[in-house]
């Protein structure tokens, strides 16, 4: 049972463009939604996270949009740069904390110069 | 060090052997997590420690897998009678209480 579904599997964006990655979840008890960035050979690094009391959170070029009724959330990367090329994972968990994160399948993002 | 440290970075073992994977969390972090990441997949939860005790071990796949954190800091993931299907990257993460999870670089385990 895949509790968090992520799309697309891969994404190619031109430098300066907007990268958008989407996730949908099934468990309405989830209340913590982080995004992680992973480079080859490295562990996932926390980018930004949101809790369901807000519909949007922005940190620099990264924005999470959250739609509680649709059980969906997305990551937007503005002014995408070649250094953003990595695999991105959405995740979800209960109890407003990071224990027992359920991860999506990942999106391999490539930013063309 | 400033981040989560995992050793070894790579481990090759023969089928049926016993392995131990070590995790040094960020100093002061009370929560520690183990995840397993297969190639091309997202990490999968294995076990979560709050202090010395395992708060949730529901992700351990079977009784060949065991983890300890005797003094509430360093943790060791132990795998008995390894199988080829255990090959993966084993990730450790730590956090303050359960607010966030900061991952180490992982240990790549290969069972031949």
């Amino acid at each position: 049972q895949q509790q968090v579904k992520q799309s697309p599997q891969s994404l190619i964006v031109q430098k300066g463009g907007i990268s958008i990655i989407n996730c949908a979840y099934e468990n309405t008890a989830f209340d913590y939604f982080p995004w992680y960035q992973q480079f080859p050979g490295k562990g996932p690094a926390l980018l930004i996270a949101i809790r369901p009391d807000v519909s949007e959170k922005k940190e620099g070029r990264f924005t999470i949009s959250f739609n509680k009724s649709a059980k969906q959330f997305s990551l937007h990367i503005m002014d995408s740069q070649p250094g953003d090329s990595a695999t991105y994972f959405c995740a979800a968990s209960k109890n407003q904390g990071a224990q027992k994160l359920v991860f999506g399948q990942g999106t391999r993002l490539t930013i063309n110069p | 060090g400033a981040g989560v440290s995992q050793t070894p970075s790579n481990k090759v073992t023969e089928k049926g052997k016993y392995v131990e994977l070590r995790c040094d969390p960020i100093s002061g972090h009370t929560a520690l997590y183990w995840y397993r990441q297969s190639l091309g997949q997202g990490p999968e939860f294995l076990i979560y420690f709050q202090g010395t005790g395992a708060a949730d071990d529901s992700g351990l796949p079977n009784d060949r897998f065991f983890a300890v954190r005797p003094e509430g800091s360093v943790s060791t993931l132990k795998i008995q009678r390894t199988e080829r299907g255990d090959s993966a990257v084993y990730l450790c993460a730590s956090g303050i209480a359960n607010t966030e999870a900061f991952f180490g670089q992982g240990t790549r385990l290969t069972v031949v």
Side-chain angles (χ1 to χ4, degrees):
Chain A
Q1 181 187 5
Q2 190 176 352
Q3 295 191 62
V4 179
K5 294 183 180 179
Q6 184 171 346
S7 63
Q9 200 169 358
S10 63
L11 179 64
I12 300 175
V13 175
Q14 291 300 117
K15 179 183 174 183
I18 302 173
S19 304
I20 302 174
I21 303 171
N22 301 298
C23 281
Y25 62 97
E26 299 171 2
N27 192 336
T28 54
F30 287 152
D31 56 11
Y32 175 70
F33 304 91
W35 284 89
Y36 285 85
Q37 178 189 58
Q38 187 174 32
F39 293 104
K42 304 293 186 183
L46 179 65
L47 262 181
I48 186 172
I50 197 168
R51 290 182 168 84
D53 51 341
V54 296
S55 60
E56 185 174 284
K57 183 174 181 180
K58 183 176 180 178
E59 289 184 2
R61 295 185 295 111
F62 301 93
T63 300
I64 298 180
S65 296
F66 182 78
N67 186 329
K68 187 174 181 178
S69 61
K71 293 188 287 185
Q72 295 175 346
F73 58 111
S74 60
L75 176 70
H76 295 230
I77 306 174
M78 312 300 287
D79 187 26
S80 299
Q81 299 296 312
D84 296 330
S85 298
T87 300
Y88 291 80
F89 292 96
C90 63
S93 66
K94 304 176 191 176
N95 303 318
Q96 298 195 7
Q99 72 272 28
K100 204 169 183 178
L101 290 167
V102 178
F103 282 82
Q105 295 288 86
T107 296
R108 179 173 287 187
L109 174 65
T110 302
I111 307 299
N112 284 336
Chain B
V4 176
S5 176
Q6 292 188 246
T7 54
S9 54
N10 283 283
K11 176 71 176 178
V12 180
T13 191
E14 292 181 348
K15 179 176 177 291
K17 298 291 188 182
Y18 168 83
V19 296
E20 289 189 352
L21 311 179
R22 177 187 169 106
C23 173
D24 284 81
I26 295 170
S27 178
H29 281 189
T30 56
L32 185 144
Y33 320 88
W34 284 99
Y35 286 79
R36 178 168 70 174
Q37 186 173 26
S38 299
L39 192 63
Q41 303 293 316
E44 292 180 299
F45 170 80
L46 294 177
I47 186 169
Y48 156 53
F49 287 91
Q50 185 61 257
T52 60
D56 187 335
D57 65 357
S58 61
L60 295 177
N62 52 59
D63 60 6
R64 296 187 297 106
F65 288 74
F66 189 71
V68 296
R69 194 186 186 199
E71 297 178 356
S73 178
V74 171
S75 177
T76 304
L77 179 65
K78 308 181 181 192
I79 310 174
Q80 297 178 323
R81 305 183 303 280
T82 51
E83 300 177 356
R84 292 197 177 87
D86 298 335
S87 296
V89 175
Y90 289 81
L91 294 164
C92 177
S94 71
I96 297 174
N98 64 344
T99 53
E100 295 175 343
F102 298 94
F103 284 83
Q105 296 203 136
T107 293
R108 181 176 298 277
L109 175 67
T110 303
V111 182
V112 298

